[in-house]
Every structure is written in structure tokens, then in C-alpha cells.
Amino acid sequence: MKQTECVAMLLAGGEGSRLKALTANVAKPAVHFGGKYRIIDFALSNCANSGIDTVGVLTQYQPLALGSHLGVGTPWDLHHDRGGLTVLPPYMEKKEMKWYTGTANAVYQNLNYLDSCNPEHVLILSGDHIYNMDYRALIDRHKETGADVTISVIGVKWDEASRFGIMSTDDRNRVTEFVEKPAQPKSNLASMGIYVFKWDVLRTYLLRDEQMPGSTHDFGKDVIPAMLANDVKLYAYPFEGYWRDVGTIESLWDAHMDLLGDEPEFRLNSKAWPLYTANQNRAPQYIGGPASVSNSLLSEGCQIFGDVDSSVLSYGVQVGQGSLIRNSVIMPNVKIGENVQIHNAIIGEGTIIADGDMIGNSQQVSLFCKEDLNPVEKDNTIVFTSREKQLLHLLERIG
């Protein structure tokens, strides 16, 4: 069997409950980002740009939109016969159906896939982060140090450290302590959820963890601490580029705002590190005579007749006359009526905003989605509130 140097296992089955209604019908990695992408595009593009040609994508929660987006991996040049992109959902065994019960368990249940690839190293990735990284540099460092495991880390703000897996290292970056989401962190070096393992070491510890009573079968909570306890060689790989965990409404909004400006914190249009996605093939956007657009990203198929300032609009968005969209993120195919005011908000895919509505304020980030509409059933009849009647009227008017 020919050996593959490195196989990537991309964890993409998470619900992302802190994104609330945005993940009601899609997995977190399938949430739209930056006007034309989905969150998972960043890890997949990193693989493509790093020359990693064998990627297993582990799916579970609400996989329909994600699977449709992935297809056979063509946008990321992962559609070839040898290696390529393979979607790995949970499956039925002879006796029972086995759902993935943790990040480590998801990889454990696909040992047959990894065995068939016969890699030297396995790269574990999360499908829900925004960043550009050359994985080749990470793997090269992993080989140079002779590590069994190398974990990519980044310095975070101290008041955010308790949200992450936090590690302490010695002066050679060897990991001396790893605590998942500590209440009182001793360090601000956060795990980025990116690991490189020697395949034989990973295989041994996945088999061992699966038999461990009380294990949650999670890399951060179980597998990495067990390795540390056994003096396995763990090294940290400090990363100094842009990286965002977009696990909350606020962090998702922040990451979008980072895309704006003449010198944005994070660029989507780097020629040196292109981003790939499944193209929507929409008509060009149209900006009407009375409209004004400043400091914003507009995607294909938008029709703008109002004012848009410091915002990100996905494909197929319509903005009516007299409306103002400011500091906001508008997901695909949103229809915004006339004389609407939207400030500091995220509007979910396919939502319809009625004439004269006001959404959001300057004090906090707001989320509004079509899933927020809750007509009730009374005497076998669906009863809509006055707001929902207004939206239905708008829907009929605009077709």
C-alpha cells in the first residue's frame, strides 16, 4: 500500500448552539460568511493551498446544506480519484447505529478510512474557524522537533482565555500543561483546535480512549491530557496570523467587521492565498439611482435602492428605497422593504423585513431570522401576529 504523508480530518459535525437560529437548519461549518463563503471554506482552502490532497470531512448535525456545498470537492481541487474529499457521516453497524459522541470518537469511528490511507501524519482540523494558515509550515515543525503531537496555538485576551483549551509550555515550546476551558487560566496560549499527530501514536490513544470509563471522547478533555500524563512528546506551534473562533453571534459579527476598511484586519482577496467556494453563479449586483454604498462588501445578485454603510451583504439581497443598513451582516436572499433601519445586526438567510421595521441598536449585536417568526395554531387555524401579517403582505407584493 502506498503511503500518504498527511491526511486531514476535518471536524464539521457541530451544532453551534451559541449561534442560535443561524444553525437551526444547518451545521455550524455551513453558516454563511463574508458575503459568498461558508465557514468551512477557510479550512478547505487552507488544505488546497497547503497541498494536502486527502481530506475526510466528518459530518453529523443537519448535514444537508453542508453536503450539498461540499459536493465532490471540486472548488478545492479535491475531486480526484486518489485521496480527494470524502464525506464521513455516522453509519449503521450490524447491531446498532453509532452517532459520534465526541471529537476523538468521530475520528475513532473512521479508523478504517485512515487505515486505507496509511498516512505518516494525521492533521485534525475544526471546520468552524476563520483564518489562513499554511499547514506545510506546521507539519514541517512537527517533523523537525520529532513530536508525537503538535498543537497550533495563539495568544488570546486574558478575559477570553477561559473559553479555550489553554496550555503552558517550556522555553522550547514543549507543552507542560493543557486544561480545557479553565476557570482560572494560568496562560493565554489557546489551542486553535489544529493538531498534527503521528498516525501510530494517534491510533494507539484513540483505541485506548474508547475503552476508558468516564471519557467524553474529546481531544481537548481526554486524549491530550492522557498523552501529557504519559509523557508523550507534545509541542506547541505558535501562530501569529489572523484567527477567529466564530462560535457566538458577537464573534461572528466581529469577524465580519474585520473584513471592512481600506486596510482590513483580514482580507478575502489575497492572491497569494486564494479562497475557494462553490460559486452561486448569480447576476451582477445592481445599485439603483437613489442608493448609496460605502465601506461595504456586496455579493452577486444584490439589488440596492437604499443606503448601505459598513456592512456585508451576501448574494441575492434586496434593499428597498429609504432603508438604511449600517454595521450589519445580511445573509443570502434577505428581502428588506422600504424605510427600514438596521443597525449592528445579523439578519439570517431568507428573512423578509417589512416596510418601516427597525432592527438593532448601538448597544449590542442583534440577530433576526425567519425562524424567529412563530405563528400559533388556534382552532385548527394558523394565526399570525400583526408583524407576521405585514411580512406576508410584503412577500406577496415583491413576489
Side-chain angles (χ1 to χ4, degrees):
M1 183 187 301
K2 186 173 181 179
Q3 189 168 39
T4 302
E5 181 182 29
C6 184
V7 171
M9 297 292 274
L10 180 49
L11 301 166
E15 175 183 353
S17 59
R18 292 178 297 168
L19 291 179
K20 302 177 183 177
L22 290 178
T23 54
N25 299 306
V26 300
K28 181 178 172 184
V31 169
H32 296 279
F33 186 85
K36 66 176 297 181
Y37 305 99
R38 294 182 187 261
I39 295 173
I40 197 171
D41 289 334
F42 293 84
L44 285 172
S45 296
N46 288 338
C47 287
N49 292 326
S50 300
I52 294 177
D53 61 5
T54 305
V55 181
V57 181
L58 298 101
T59 66
Q60 180 158 274
Y61 173 79
Q62 292 283 12
L64 180 60
L66 182 59
S68 177
H69 180 70
L70 295 173
V72 294
T74 302
W76 308 276
D77 196 24
L78 291 169
H79 57 289
H80 39 83
D81 293 334
R82 180 178 173 274
L85 184 147
T86 304
V87 177
L88 301 168
Y91 52 90
M92 177 79 79
E93 291 189 342
K94 197 162 186 177
K95 293 182 179 178
E96 58 181 335
M97 174 73 189
K98 287 189 173 181
W99 296 104
Y100 298 150
T101 59
T103 54
N105 175 262
V107 178
Y108 165 81
Q109 291 201 42
N110 288 284
L111 288 179
N112 288 343
Y113 169 76
L114 285 168
D115 283 338
S116 70
C117 298
N118 190 28
E120 292 179 52
H121 309 284
V122 178
L123 175 64
I124 304 292
L125 303 171
S126 296
D128 51 6
H129 296 147
I130 305 299
Y131 67 109
N132 292 339
M133 177 188 278
D134 189 339
Y135 298 138
R136 290 170 296 194
L138 166 65
I139 294 166
D140 285 347
R141 180 69 60 83
H142 175 71
K143 292 189 290 189
E144 288 168 6
T145 59
D148 295 308
V149 188
T150 302
I151 305 172
S152 188
V153 300
I154 191 167
V156 298
K157 296 177 181 176
W158 279 92
D159 60 356
E160 296 181 353
S162 59
R163 289 176 48 206
F164 300 96
I166 295 295
M167 65 193 70
S168 300
T169 62
D170 64 18
D171 57 2
R172 298 173 53 246
N173 284 326
R174 182 156 181 171
V175 178
T176 57
E177 185 178 48
F178 184 99
V179 183
E180 186 70 14
K181 298 179 181 177
Q184 302 293 331
K186 298 178 182 177
S187 158
N188 68 338
L189 274 184
S191 168
M192 299 168 64
I194 301 169
Y195 311 96
V196 187
F197 291 88
K198 288 181 178 174
W199 167 224
D200 58 338
V201 175
L202 175 62
R203 198 178 199 288
T204 297
Y205 274 84
L206 288 178
L207 291 169
R208 188 176 299 178
D209 177 74
E210 198 59 25
Q211 303 302 318
M212 192 68 68
S215 174
T216 61
H217 310 306
D218 182 269
F219 280 109
K221 295 176 182 175
D222 305 294
V223 175
I224 299 300
M227 290 179 164
L228 263 178
N230 290 336
D231 205 28
V232 170
K233 292 177 66 176
L234 277 76
Y235 279 84
Y237 174 77
F239 178 71
E240 297 181 350
Y242 180 94
W243 178 82
R244 282 277 192 182
D245 177 350
V246 288
T248 64
I249 295 300
E250 291 76 15
S251 61
L252 182 65
W253 181 87
D254 284 340
H256 275 93
M257 295 301 107
D258 290 343
L259 304 176
L260 303 177
D262 294 343
E263 298 293 335
E265 285 194 51
F266 185 69
R267 290 185 180 276
L268 297 174
N269 60 348
S270 169
K271 291 183 180 178
W273 204 260
L275 285 167
Y276 304 102
T277 189
N279 198 333
Q280 285 295 314
N281 194 25
R282 299 288 186 105
Q285 69 262 35
Y286 177 76
I287 300 175
S292 72
V293 177
S294 59
N295 190 37
S296 297
L297 295 175
L298 272 61
S299 196
E300 299 171 327
C302 288
Q303 296 183 53
I304 311 299
F305 296 93
D307 298 335
V308 179
D309 176 44
S310 301
S311 297
V312 179
L313 273 59
S314 296
Y315 55 82
V317 170
Q318 299 178 22
V319 179
Q321 286 191 17
S323 291
L324 171 62
I325 316 301
R326 175 167 290 157
N327 299 334
S328 294
V329 180
I330 314 298
M331 297 293 185
N333 302 317
V334 170
K335 293 179 171 57
I336 298 169
E338 298 178 353
N339 303 309
V340 171
Q341 299 268 328
I342 300 177
H343 296 270
N344 298 337
I346 297 177
I347 308 299
E349 181 175 7
T351 301
I352 298 171
I353 310 296
D355 293 350
D357 257 358
M358 296 186 67
I359 296 174
N361 57 62
S362 61
Q363 307 302 314
Q364 61 182 5
V365 178
S366 302
L367 171 66
F368 188 77
C369 297
K370 61 183 179 182
E371 287 79 6
D372 294 326
L373 301 175
N374 293 307
V376 297
E377 185 172 344
K378 184 178 181 180
D379 298 331
N380 296 321
T381 301
I382 300 296
V383 179
F384 292 93
T385 66
S386 58
R387 172 183 174 75
E388 287 148 4
K389 288 178 180 176
Q390 191 182 19
L391 295 181
L392 289 172
H393 174 70
L394 173 65
L395 180 60
E396 291 172 357
R397 181 160 63 82
I398 63 180

